[in-house]
Every structure is written in structure tokens, then in C-alpha cells.
Amino acid sequence: MPQEIIPVKLLGDADGDGEVNINDVTAVQNHLIGKRSIDDEFMVCADVNKDGAVTLRDATLIQMYIAGKYTWYEEISIIC
């Protein structure tokens, strides 16, 4: 019997490419200015501070995470 592959969503992965990088910061910024919306399934991943909204604070936290200046708990960074 074949095993089902379950895609993993990462906290901070706003563009859904499976990585947390500068493209996710850009995705959040574009979402905030109305240039391009984040897909509904990744909105929860973009809300890294879990306050119920995707804001500039989330973009800043993703930038800090990329720079190694901010971390979140491993158990919530695997699946958002």
C-alpha cells in the first residue's frame, strides 16, 4: 500500500515554496500593500507571531529569523 505524502507547511513560509527566505518577506510586504495576496492556505504560516493578522511585524520577524536574530519554537516552525 503506497504511503500518503503529507505536505509540511513551515512557519514563516508565506509563499508556500517550502523554505523561509527573503521571498517570504516580499510576499508579506506585497500582501500588505495589496499588490499580491498570500494564498489562504499560507496565511497562517505568514502570521508568525500568531496574533491573528499578517502585518509588517510578521515581515520584520521573518527578516530577523533569516538573519539569525529571532527564533521560534521548533515544534511550531514545522507545521503552521
Side-chain angles (χ1 to χ4, degrees):
M1 179 178 218
Q3 292 183 343
E4 180 182 358
I5 298 173
I6 300 171
V8 174
K9 295 179 186 174
L10 300 172
L11 187 62
D13 183 16
D15 66 359
D17 69 353
E19 300 177 18
V20 179
N21 55 41
I22 196 66
N23 295 331
D24 300 300
V25 176
T26 302
V28 171
Q29 292 170 335
N30 285 337
H31 174 77
L32 293 174
I33 64 170
K35 187 173 180 180
R36 183 174 178 161
S37 295
I38 294 172
D39 291 342
D40 288 342
E41 68 179 298
F42 295 105
M43 286 293 285
V44 69
C45 300
D47 181 18
V48 296
N49 66 354
K50 299 299 180 197
D51 67 353
V54 176
T55 64
L56 187 56
R57 179 72 177 146
D58 296 302
T60 301
L61 291 174
I62 296 169
Q63 285 176 315
M64 291 172 63
Y65 175 80
I66 294 166
K69 304 289 184 186
Y70 181 80
T71 60
W72 39 71
Y73 293 104
E74 185 66 27
E75 61 268 16
I76 63 170
S77 68
I78 295 174
I79 300 174
C80 52

